[in-house]
Amino acid sequence: MSEPRDLQSYLRRRVSPAERYDDLLRFPRFFEIETVNACNARCPMCTIDEWTRHTPTMRPDLFEKIAGEICERASEVRRVSLYRDGEPLLDKRLPDRIARLKDGGVKEVAISTNVGLLDERRSREILEAGLDRIILSIDSLDKQVFEAIRVRLVFEEVLANAKRFIALRDKIRPETVVWVRMIRQESNYAEWPTFEAYWRRLLQPHDRVNFHNLHNWGGQLDTFKPIAPSFEPSLPCVALWSLMVIFADGKVPLCNVDYNNIFPTGDVSADTIADVWRNGVMAERRRKHLDGRKGEISLCENCNVWDEAPDLHHVASEFAEAVEVEPAG
């Protein structure tokens, strides 16, 4: 493994190349805020049946506290995503929450949706509220394959919703970026070239069609079968230097795979975001990752959540190869 200083350079390049390493320790650059902890689908690569948290929606006063702190430092924040483990379109306050962040100066507000609830009314509301980016998570163009992955959703409805949203985006808010994403796994692996070509013709040049390889939820997904080698388990996790996840009750977990908060970090209902980001728990976790001891944290040992498509994973493979780190999987 490389020296800590080299790893700091790697993290800086991957998270925010224009900044110094110490800058990353001041405040999160990315947020995933779970305003609703529920979903209308039951996908096999999800962990919903294991969720033990019982706060279905975020209180307005808690959201306002979080939004206020983020907006005070909006110049440092690159993206606020209003989702985590649930389906964000179940949140009736979602348009208001998007607008609050945009009015407060946040550069980019995003959501990721399974598209099943993205009807015309919701589409118009979130676009008019100022949504900057949306991920349409659609895993196949084959009805049988799609419905086996996106259990409880209807393929024809999702396809129609996605196409209508793209058309409305072009009319209402053309600058909103659309990503159509496939969670690539055994059942749809061979479909990627066809999938990419189909959606690319419907999108604008600033949009993206991409895949995210199926990941193992930090070793918590029993059915996980790797479909590609990954360098991620051998490198420090970028999340500890870039991303804060906030659950609907204000609790902050280890990261975006700690869906039951088994490694608590803090609570932004009681403390500030900055204090949680800089607390002793985070400092110790960062030390372990830089010292090659990430395996002491069970969720981190073999996690490959950031195993992205080649054009998205930045410098991970380049750096790992330079320091002779072997891929896992």
Side-chain angles (χ1 to χ4, degrees):
M1 178 57 70
S2 181
E3 293 296 318
R5 185 168 296 180
D6 293 334
L7 292 173
Q8 290 179 8
S9 176
Y10 157 72
L11 291 162
R12 181 185 59 77
R13 289 173 59 200
R14 190 157 180 188
V15 176
S16 189
E19 297 186 86
R20 300 173 305 158
Y21 173 80
D22 288 347
D23 294 335
L24 306 181
L25 306 179
R26 293 197 312 261
F27 201 73
R29 296 297 179 264
F30 299 89
F31 288 86
E32 291 182 0
I33 302 173
E34 177 191 78
T35 68
V36 60
N37 179 227
C39 191
N40 57 320
R42 291 296 183 275
C43 307
M45 68 279 192
C46 184
T47 56
I48 189 169
D49 292 332
E50 300 173 21
W51 294 355
T52 58
R53 295 181 291 111
H54 304 291
T55 304
T57 56
M58 180 175 283
R59 302 188 323 267
D61 62 312
L62 176 56
F63 180 82
E64 178 54 36
K65 178 183 184 296
I66 294 167
E69 292 181 25
I70 291 174
C71 291
E72 284 179 3
R73 305 184 69 156
S75 62
E76 299 176 64
V77 177
R78 292 176 58 183
R79 182 184 307 150
V80 177
S81 298
L82 293 177
Y83 68 90
R84 181 46 256 156
D85 296 328
E87 167 52 51
L89 293 177
L90 288 169
D91 181 1
K92 296 179 180 179
R93 295 186 174 92
L94 182 62
D96 292 338
R97 288 170 165 167
I98 294 169
R100 168 67 178 93
L101 293 168
K102 291 305 298 178
D103 290 345
V106 174
K107 292 185 286 290
E108 184 173 323
V109 180
I111 67 166
S112 175
T113 174
N114 63 37
V115 194
L117 300 175
L118 193 61
D119 56 22
E120 182 171 353
R121 177 182 61 81
R122 289 185 178 93
S123 296
R124 289 184 178 277
E125 286 178 345
I126 61 178
L127 285 166
E128 291 168 357
L131 186 70
D132 296 295
R133 184 185 304 266
I134 187 169
I135 300 173
L136 307 178
S137 201
I138 304 171
D139 300 317
S140 179
L141 294 172
D142 180 289
K143 176 179 172 65
Q144 184 175 354
V145 173
F146 174 88
E147 293 183 356
I149 296 174
R150 296 289 169 173
V151 178
R152 295 189 181 180
L153 303 186
V154 178
F155 173 71
E156 292 84 359
E157 292 177 0
V158 167
L159 196 66
N161 285 351
K163 290 180 176 179
R164 181 179 54 242
F165 181 87
I166 293 167
L168 286 171
R169 184 281 306 266
D170 291 345
K171 294 178 181 178
I172 297 173
R173 197 171 191 274
E175 64 269 33
T176 297
V177 175
V178 176
W179 285 13
V180 179
R181 183 182 65 188
M182 168 192 284
I183 304 299
R184 195 172 66 159
Q185 49 204 284
E186 283 189 317
S187 62
N188 62 10
Y189 191 95
E191 190 182 339
W192 168 247
T194 303
F195 183 93
E196 182 182 28
Y198 179 89
W199 289 106
R200 185 68 265 172
R201 66 181 176 84
L202 298 175
L203 297 172
Q204 299 299 326
H206 66 288
D207 297 327
R208 172 176 275 168
V209 188
N210 71 299
F211 65 80
H212 190 307
N213 287 328
L214 181 70
H215 68 85
N216 61 10
W217 288 95
Q220 298 177 95
L221 186 64
D222 293 336
T223 59
F224 175 73
K225 294 180 181 179
I227 61 170
S230 172
F231 291 102
E232 299 300 333
S234 302
L235 293 169
C237 180
V238 295
L240 293 177
W241 284 265
S242 62
L243 173 66
M244 178 176 283
V245 173
I246 303 175
F247 287 144
D249 59 359
K251 299 292 194 303
V252 177
L254 167 66
C255 63
N256 53 339
V257 303
D258 188 9
Y259 53 84
N260 278 331
N261 199 21
I262 60 175
F263 289 95
T265 300
D267 185 346
V268 297
S269 69
D271 298 313
T272 69
I273 290 170
D275 284 344
V276 173
W277 188 245
R278 302 169 188 166
N279 70 18
V281 174
M282 287 293 287
E284 177 61 19
R285 290 171 181 166
R286 290 174 183 135
R287 278 195 295 270
K288 287 182 177 181
H289 276 240
L290 288 172
D291 291 346
R293 296 184 293 124
K294 65 187 290 186
E296 295 177 15
I297 306 170
S298 60
L299 287 187
C300 302
E301 184 175 9
N302 295 305
C303 182
N304 68 333
V305 68
W306 299 113
D307 178 23
E308 302 274 6
D311 64 326
L312 297 181
H313 71 186
H314 303 294
V315 298
S317 60
E318 171 197 330
F319 182 88
E321 289 168 357
V323 298
E324 299 182 348
V325 169
E326 292 296 324

